[in-house]
Amino acid sequence: MYGEHWGAMSGPEEEARRVYAETFGGHEPQLAVFAPGRVNLIGEHTDYNGGFVLPMALPLVTVIVGSPRKDGKICIVTTAEGADEPHKVEFETPSVDRPLTTGAPKWANYVKGVIQHYRAGPVPGFNAVIATSVPLGGGLSSSASLEVASYTFLQQLCEDDGDLVQKALTCQKAEHTFPGVPCGIMDQFISVMGREGHALLIDCRSLEVKPLPLTDPKLSVLITNSNVRHELTGSEYSTRKKQCEEAAKALGKETLRDASMEELEAQKDHLNDVCYRRARHVITEIERTSKAAKALENGDYRLFGKLMVESHNSLRDDYEVSCPELDELVSIAMEIAGVYGSRMTGGGFGGCTVTLLETSVAERTKEQIKDKFRGSPSFYITKPSTGSGVLSQ
């Protein structure tokens, strides 16, 4: 079921098993789990504003293999390309008197946060190896993939109540408190809840999910990685979140989800220009996402594509999270007949674009981007995949 997509599941699993045997005395791991990355088709920077998002899970995954140990110690190795050193960490299992703390390396903080906040316990000691096909810093949610894989692994060691919403919320809490990124719920939610052949319309306020079929064989999703890196732990993400909160407060709203463009225009003189533009992006993006979901249901790919381009322009001009490389990728893709729409996806400042196109022009689009783009892009032609789970031994 999983290997049909460029061996994305089997590659990381084989690597993790090989490194596990090398690291832990030739033993085979007793447990193996995975969690996918995601691409967001539309609805960017709306999740922490209580809005709508429309992501799909990818067959790019983080795999964790491992086994319990009895001495209360945890040893974790990562093989992820681009992860900071050291690639191996060891620490004691947390207790009430001795909670886990953040520190170097940064990648381990995502795992530690999940261990610290895990909803069943106490967590026993274990050895584990992490391998991933989700590119780090690519805007495809390598962090949520790691968090959800970590939680899924802990579920095999120490079973919780199986509540999927709480699983996603715990992983979000882990990212807030350990790496210190004030992310919305979308990434963890889709990594947990992803459904093969479907994008998910997620209401980030009520946490209701509506699966939307995306199974037309004539339609493909092309992800183009600019291979320009970004770090969300910088101040840009937090600054935008604060600007949105400031705008919502000026409008007398709990979140921008409750605000209309008419209300924003009426209060324009009471907001500085930056906060006004941030709010304009969020309010219009929530509306675009609702329209896009209906367009997808109706098979109106042209309208969906038009909304994607409008979303990119708003992220570029009003939210100011794009960059020249992403703008260039979108522009090149839109030159091809048979491309419906293209936009940056993820937090911004680099990473990936997502393009909705006719399957028949996918290869031509890749070739044109390779010829015209000034950087060194990589590509994934993909379909919606399944959420996190256990790999059979």
Side-chain angles (χ1 to χ4, degrees):
M1 171 180 170
Y2 308 118
E4 65 190 41
H5 301 287
W6 344 286
M9 190 75 70
S10 59
E13 184 182 1
E14 284 169 14
E15 182 181 26
R17 288 181 180 279
R18 176 179 57 75
V19 172
Y20 188 91
E22 288 169 4
T23 308
F24 299 110
H27 296 294
E28 285 286 314
Q30 296 172 29
L31 307 166
V33 302
F34 73 94
R38 63 96 189 96
V39 67
N40 190 24
L41 298 174
I42 194 166
E44 216 67 73
H45 290 280
T46 52
D47 57 346
Y48 53 83
N49 286 291
F52 293 100
V53 291
L54 188 57
M56 65 184 222
L58 294 172
L60 297 170
V61 295
T62 297
V63 168
I64 301 181
V65 304
S67 306
R69 55 191 277 180
K70 294 180 178 167
D71 61 358
K73 291 193 168 124
I74 293 171
C75 179
I76 308 170
V77 175
T78 183
T79 68
E81 191 179 326
D84 56 325
E85 296 282 358
H87 285 183
K88 180 178 181 182
V89 294
E90 293 190 55
F91 49 91
E92 305 277 334
T93 56
S95 65
V96 176
D97 304 328
R98 194 186 58 244
L100 296 182
T101 55
T102 60
K106 289 178 188 171
W107 65 266
N109 291 327
Y110 295 90
V111 185
K112 285 179 180 176
V114 174
I115 295 168
Q116 182 62 48
H117 296 303
Y118 186 62
R119 298 175 56 249
V123 174
F126 61 86
N127 294 323
V129 172
I130 300 162
T132 189
S133 53
V134 187
L136 269 58
L140 301 180
S141 207
S142 56
S143 56
S145 175
L146 174 56
E147 290 151 7
V148 174
S150 299
Y151 195 104
T152 307
F153 183 79
L154 296 181
Q155 286 177 301
Q156 313 318 304
L157 288 172
C158 181
E159 199 172 350
D160 72 346
D161 59 9
D163 186 317
L164 296 181
V165 172
Q166 290 304 317
K167 176 177 178 176
L169 288 169
T170 300
C171 291
Q172 181 197 29
K173 183 179 180 183
E175 186 153 340
H176 286 184
T177 56
F178 273 64
V181 180
C183 61
I185 190 59
M186 170 178 65
D187 297 352
Q188 293 82 5
F189 223 80
I190 187 67
S191 189
V192 171
M193 309 265 190
R195 204 154 143 184
E196 192 160 9
H198 293 76
L200 296 188
L201 179 66
I202 302 170
D203 182 331
C204 296
R205 181 164 62 184
S206 69
L207 301 182
E208 289 176 284
V209 174
K210 182 177 184 181
L212 299 172
L214 196 56
T215 52
D216 186 340
K218 297 195 205 75
L219 192 71
S220 284
V221 175
L222 171 67
I223 299 167
T224 306
N225 192 345
S226 68
N227 290 309
V228 175
R229 292 286 300 272
H230 66 84
E231 276 213 26
L232 277 183
T233 41
S235 63
E236 296 290 353
Y237 195 111
S238 302
T239 301
R240 276 156 185 72
K241 191 163 186 277
K242 283 180 189 137
Q243 288 162 342
C244 291
E245 286 165 356
E246 190 179 319
K249 190 176 177 186
L251 296 172
K253 308 291 183 184
E254 195 172 323
T255 67
L256 289 174
R257 161 72 177 272
D258 300 312
S260 67
M261 275 307 299
E262 292 75 22
E263 289 169 321
L264 180 63
E265 291 299 333
Q267 291 297 316
K268 187 174 181 180
D269 294 341
H270 300 285
L271 284 166
N272 66 51
D273 178 60
V274 172
C275 283
Y276 166 77
R277 286 187 294 112
R278 301 297 188 254
R280 181 168 64 184
H281 164 71
V282 172
I283 293 166
T284 57
E285 184 79 348
I286 289 170
E287 188 181 343
R288 276 189 290 272
T289 307
S290 297
K291 283 183 182 169
K294 288 192 181 107
L296 197 58
E297 277 188 291
N298 297 332
D300 189 345
Y301 306 139
R302 289 193 187 286
L303 175 56
F304 194 100
K306 177 172 173 284
L307 292 163
M308 288 175 81
V309 174
E310 287 175 10
S311 168
H312 180 81
N313 294 342
S314 179
L315 287 157
R316 180 192 65 205
D317 300 334
D318 277 352
Y319 222 64
E320 297 180 285
V321 290
S322 188
C323 62
E325 294 88 352
L326 295 178
D327 298 341
E328 189 183 353
L329 287 172
V330 168
S331 177
I332 296 167
M334 292 309 298
E335 293 171 4
I336 308 279
V339 168
Y340 295 113
S342 186
R343 59 183 285 277
M344 61 153 279
T345 186
F349 308 107
C352 294
T353 60
V354 57
T355 303
L356 192 73
L357 37 57
E358 292 173 8
T359 303
S360 60
V361 302
E363 288 301 326
R364 194 188 328 156
T365 305
K366 278 170 56 178
E367 289 309 312
Q368 177 130 330
I369 291 170
K370 273 190 211 164
D371 289 344
K372 290 194 166 188
F373 183 58
R374 286 169 295 176
S376 303
S378 45
F379 304 92
Y380 315 101
I381 298 170
T382 186
K383 306 273 186 187
S385 195
T386 186
S388 60
V390 179
L391 293 164
S392 56
Q393 292 296 301

